[in-house]
Amino acid sequence: MDLGIDKVVSEGNGNTLIYTALIAAAVANTLPTPFDGIYFRRVNTLQREYDDKKISAEKLEWHVAGEYYLWTSLWYVALFAGIYSFGGKYKDNAKVLLALAGSGLVIGAVAKNIKINKEIEAKKQNNA
């Protein structure tokens, strides 16, 4: 698997590679991914389990942190594997990346969590 990194470095453009990676990381951390939807859903489920005293505060925090890194990593691994295995031209790959970044699954997960929160609040008010 030759990504051309050695060639870039040997031609004296190693810093350009580092700058590009840092800019890409900054942009990637500001854009929602489809896997963020899974993360938000899992965190909501974990919070409910904590509220119902099914898990401890320590377990909640470890799971929330673990879920964040798990889903973020899986997204980028899947993205890299997909682009590398399907190949294609730079412009086509860029269009695919932009389409995936704006997929809207995060909005769907947030909307569902809001609905669940409202249902729980309604139940609490009815029980009070």
Side-chain angles (χ1 to χ4, degrees), residues 8-120:
V8 171
V9 173
S10 68
E11 290 176 353
N13 295 317
N15 280 339
T16 302
L17 186 64
I18 291 171
Y19 299 146
T20 303
L22 290 172
I23 290 169
V27 170
N29 282 308
T30 61
L31 296 174
T33 71
F35 280 34
D36 286 341
I38 298 169
Y39 167 74
F40 291 140
R41 185 74 207 114
R42 287 287 303 139
V43 167
N44 188 273
T45 301
L46 289 167
Q47 185 64 47
R48 297 294 162 241
E49 289 177 3
Y50 174 73
D51 291 345
D52 293 340
K53 304 200 184 314
K54 293 179 182 176
I55 61 173
S56 66
E58 183 178 274
K59 189 171 183 178
L60 170 68
E61 294 304 320
W62 279 111
H63 277 270
V64 167
E67 294 272 342
Y68 174 79
Y69 291 107
L70 169 75
W71 294 111
T72 302
S73 314
L74 285 176
W75 164 249
Y76 288 109
V77 167
L79 200 58
F80 178 80
I83 289 174
Y84 187 79
S85 64
F86 293 118
K89 296 180 180 179
Y90 165 77
K91 287 185 180 183
D92 294 337
N93 288 341
K95 288 176 187 174
V96 169
L97 286 175
L98 289 174
L100 289 172
S103 67
L105 288 177
V106 173
I107 294 170
V110 170
K112 186 168 186 172
N113 287 343
I114 289 170
K115 179 183 173 192
I116 290 171
N117 288 339
K118 287 181 179 181
E119 290 172 359
I120 290 170

